[in-house]
């Protein structure tokens, strides 16, 4: 039996309607921007395996560092104990982040990093004895699939079944020149109840690579600060170079109070989540009263192997070559966007850094579940490219090691699709 035949007997896949989905492609190895199936066919990973991979697959440097760590210390309880990879990663990450970030809390993935951020904010106010229990978020946001993260995400087909169990959240539109003063008033009216404002800075990924301007986010963050509301920058997706700078927050004048990371953190090698916060927030949990403790932790908190992968990824990330590669992708995307201007099948092309999104003109049917989406997905897969359209939006966000030739092939295949599908 093939891998995919064995798989279908025993496995339930994420975000997959198992009755109608095509059999999964069995992947046996990866190298650079490519993964290879059982027959040796190469697929260019144009979406970095759900946005996590930044240096390419099975990177030998990360592999060596992980192997070394495995032979030294694979795991140890992180309450009452610590270890070199966790401490070094916290030191080096804080050095890269906005200067107000002071403490690192480890967890397992992006959703848990968000859960921790929400709990930090809610308990901050609880510890201070203030009734601020509401959370402010953007419409169409995506912050993860666990219940808290789902609650602060936009309501959609994905959350219908759980709707009644999700706590109330104040959702506002993305800021524009036209609505900014209205948004400010809305926040002021609610401010005494609001614990925090959670945002995907600059790009709402899952919503369809919706992009908005740093200046208006800055404006809202400043307003929240004046109203005593903490801002959480969920950089799970935008972190580690995606937006052209190290972090999306580097495009902003105002510093967030809390930041969340995962995805690119380990270079896409392993699951690891990080929530960072300011000294000010951390201090609100210091007390002789044990009840003011942040009661949160996972069995694998700060797993040394995951931390070693993140450290190795950071070594690569901070090399001049990676910085050049990011700029190279930004420039190539920009040229491609110019080429597509005015194409009759295209509604809009938008770009932030290494992320480019091409929105197909579909008339009325823009549903995530449209046939167009499935046709496009299969078309690219047959051409040996992993692209996973969000409805009618095709986006590319490659590992930074992708070659110009591979990029060119993705662009020309998209152009062919525009002319044939
Ligand atoms: C993917 C994502 C998450 C959730 O991360 P997981 O590791 O999949 O749980 C949270 N926030 C944003 C912005 C994301 O893109």
């Amino acid at each position: 039996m093939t891998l995919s035949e064995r798989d279908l007997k025993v496995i339930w896949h994420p975000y997959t309607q198992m009755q109608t989905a095509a059999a999964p492609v069995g992947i046996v190895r990866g190298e650079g921007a490519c993964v290879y199936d059982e027959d040796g066919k190469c697929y260019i990973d144009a979406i970095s395996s759900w946005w996590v991979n930044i240096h390419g697959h099975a990177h030998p440097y990360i592999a060596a560092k992980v192997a070394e760590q495995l032979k030294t210390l694979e795991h140890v309880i992180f309450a009452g104990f610590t270890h070199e990879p966790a401490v070094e990663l916290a030191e080096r990450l804080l050095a890269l982040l906005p200067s107000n970030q002071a403490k690192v809390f480890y967890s397992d993935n992006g959703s848990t990093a968000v859960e921790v951020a929400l709990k930090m904010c809610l308990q901050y106010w609880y510890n201070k004895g203030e009734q601020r229990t509401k959370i402010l978020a953007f419409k169409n946001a995506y912050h993860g699939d666990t219940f808290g993260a789902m609650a602060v995400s936009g309501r959609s087909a994905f959350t219908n079944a759980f709707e009644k169990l999700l706590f109330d959240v104040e959702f506002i539109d993305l800021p524009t020149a036209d609505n900014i003063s209205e948004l400010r008033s809305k926040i002021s009216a609610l401010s005494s109840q609001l614990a925090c404002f959670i945002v995907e800075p600059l790009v709402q990924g899952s919503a369809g690579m919706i992009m908005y301007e740093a200046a208006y986010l800055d404006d809202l963050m400043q307003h929240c600060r004046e109203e005593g509301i903490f801002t959480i920058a969920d950089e799970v997706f935008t972190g580690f170079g995606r937006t052209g700078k190290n972090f999306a927050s580097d495009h902003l004048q105002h510093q967030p109070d809390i930041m969340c990371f995962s995805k690119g953190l380990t270079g896409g090698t392993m699951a690891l989540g990080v929530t960072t916060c300011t000294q000010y927030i951390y201090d609100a949990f210091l007390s002789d009263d044990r009840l003011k403790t942040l009661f949160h932790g996972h069995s694998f908190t700060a797993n040394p192997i995951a931390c070693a992968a993140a450290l190795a990824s950071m070594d690569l990330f901070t090399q001049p070559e990676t910085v050049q590669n990011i700029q190279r992708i930004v420039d190539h995307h920009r040229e491609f966007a110019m080429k597509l201007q005015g194409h009759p099948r295209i509604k809009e092309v938008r770009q932030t850094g290494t992320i480019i999104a091409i929105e197909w003109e579909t008339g009325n049917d823009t549903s995530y579940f449209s046939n167009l989406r499935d046709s496009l997905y299969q078309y690219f897969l047959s051409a040996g490219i992993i692209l996973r359209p969000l409805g009618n939006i095709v986006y590319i966000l490659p590992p930074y090691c992708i070659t110009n030739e591979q990029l060119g092939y993705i662009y020309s295949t998209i152009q062919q699709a525009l002319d044939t599908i």
Side-chain angles (χ1 to χ4, degrees):
M1 279 198 292
T2 65
L3 254 186
S4 72
E5 285 163 348
R6 283 166 52 209
D7 172 289
L8 287 174
K9 286 191 192 298
V10 290
I11 291 176
W12 191 348
H13 285 267
Y15 281 99
T16 304
Q17 175 41 262
M18 298 302 295
Q19 178 160 310
T20 50
V25 180
I27 295 296
V28 293
R29 68 182 189 91
E31 187 180 349
C34 279
V35 290
Y36 296 86
D37 73 9
E38 292 172 278
D39 303 322
K41 177 175 172 179
C42 156
Y43 297 85
I44 303 173
D45 190 354
I47 57 161
S48 296
S49 279
W50 253 346
W51 322 350
V52 301
N53 191 295
I54 59 178
H55 305 299
H57 289 278
H59 197 289
Y61 180 77
I62 300 178
K65 290 289 186 181
V66 165
E68 206 177 291
Q69 184 60 46
L70 261 172
K71 287 181 266 182
T72 313
L73 175 69
E74 87 304 345
H75 189 63
V76 64
I77 177 174
F78 205 60
F81 295 85
T82 192
H83 50 78
E84 177 66 28
V87 175
E88 189 186 339
L89 178 57
E91 290 168 347
R92 289 178 60 188
L93 184 59
L94 289 174
L96 284 184
L97 293 181
S99 59
N100 67 338
Q101 297 301 299
K103 294 285 189 244
V104 169
F105 194 101
Y106 288 107
S107 65
D108 291 354
N109 54 59
S111 302
T112 57
V114 167
E115 298 285 345
V116 170
L118 297 175
K119 281 179 152 183
M120 279 179 178
C121 288
L122 292 167
Q123 195 178 340
Y124 171 93
W125 295 110
Y126 176 86
N127 285 359
K128 293 273 175 189
E130 282 195 46
Q131 276 293 318
R132 288 202 189 219
T133 53
K134 274 210 158 156
I135 293 162
L136 184 69
F138 283 130
K139 286 178 188 161
N140 300 313
Y142 179 77
H143 295 291
D145 281 356
T146 52
F147 264 80
M150 201 169 32
V152 294
S153 300
R155 303 293 180 263
S156 73
F158 301 155
T159 58
N160 279 347
F162 318 107
E163 181 109 31
K164 286 216 173 78
L165 298 171
L166 302 178
F167 55 76
D168 267 348
V169 170
E170 287 298 329
F171 289 107
I172 56 172
D173 288 318
L174 288 179
T176 63
D178 292 335
N179 70 4
I180 190 85
S181 52
E182 191 190 318
L183 295 180
R184 265 192 243 121
S185 321
K186 192 169 177 187
I187 293 170
S188 295
L190 292 164
S191 68
S192 62
Q193 304 165 48
L194 289 173
C196 60
F197 175 35
I198 183 165
V199 303
E200 294 159 274
L202 304 197
V203 188
Q204 289 187 303
S206 298
M209 303 298 154
I210 308 291
M211 298 169 186
Y212 64 104
E213 278 183 45
Y216 300 124
L217 178 56
D218 254 321
D219 192 313
L220 288 184
M221 285 169 68
Q222 179 179 353
H223 189 65
C224 282
R225 182 146 301 158
E226 286 161 9
E227 299 282 0
I229 304 161
F230 295 123
T231 299
I232 301 170
D234 175 356
E235 295 238 23
V236 167
F237 166 49
T238 51
F240 302 97
R242 279 294 167 212
T243 65
K245 298 197 179 195
N246 287 354
F247 302 98
S249 296
D250 295 337
H251 296 265
L252 300 167
Q253 304 297 316
H254 292 88
Q255 300 180 328
D257 301 284
I258 292 185
M259 301 179 79
C260 305
F261 308 95
S262 187
K263 295 198 166 123
L265 174 62
T266 61
T269 307
M270 309 189 55
L272 180 66
V274 158
T275 309
T276 63
C277 71
T278 60
Q279 189 68 39
Y280 187 70
I281 291 175
Y282 175 80
D283 285 346
F285 292 75
L286 301 179
S287 173
D288 293 330
D289 179 357
R290 290 259 190 125
L291 293 176
K292 294 200 169 166
T293 307
L294 180 62
F295 291 113
H296 190 101
H298 299 279
S299 313
F300 285 101
T301 298
N303 176 256
I305 304 164
C307 291
L311 283 167
S313 176
M314 200 174 287
D315 289 343
L316 299 171
F317 182 65
T318 49
Q319 276 177 6
E321 195 189 331
T322 305
V323 180
Q324 284 158 19
N325 277 337
I326 290 172
Q327 193 52 47
R328 175 175 61 86
I329 295 166
V330 172
D331 294 341
H332 277 75
H333 278 355
R334 194 174 296 129
E335 261 173 56
F336 181 51
M338 301 277 276
K339 250 192 219 164
L340 294 179
Q341 285 308 326
H343 194 291
R345 296 295 312 278
I346 293 178
K347 197 161 157 194
E348 189 184 53
V349 181
R350 43 183 184 267
Q351 179 189 1
T352 299
T354 67
I355 310 160
I356 186 169
I358 301 131
E359 188 162 346
W360 244 252
E361 187 60 71
T362 55
N364 294 325
D365 183 14
T366 55
S367 142
Y368 176 92
F369 304 105
S370 74
N371 292 332
L372 172 68
R373 186 246 168 233
D374 293 342
S375 316
L376 287 169
Y377 178 75
Q378 287 303 336
Y379 184 88
F380 295 127
L381 205 60
S382 329
I385 302 172
I386 307 177
L387 281 170
R388 213 170 180 277
L390 292 156
N392 61 326
I393 297 151
V394 174
Y395 63 91
I396 314 172
L397 51 101
Y400 306 143
C401 64
I402 193 164
T403 65
N404 288 341
E405 197 187 355
Q406 289 166 328
L407 264 183
Y409 177 67
I410 298 168
Y411 296 151
S412 64
T413 309
I414 290 177
Q415 279 180 303
Q416 277 165 27
L418 280 165
D419 295 334
T420 49
I421 294 185

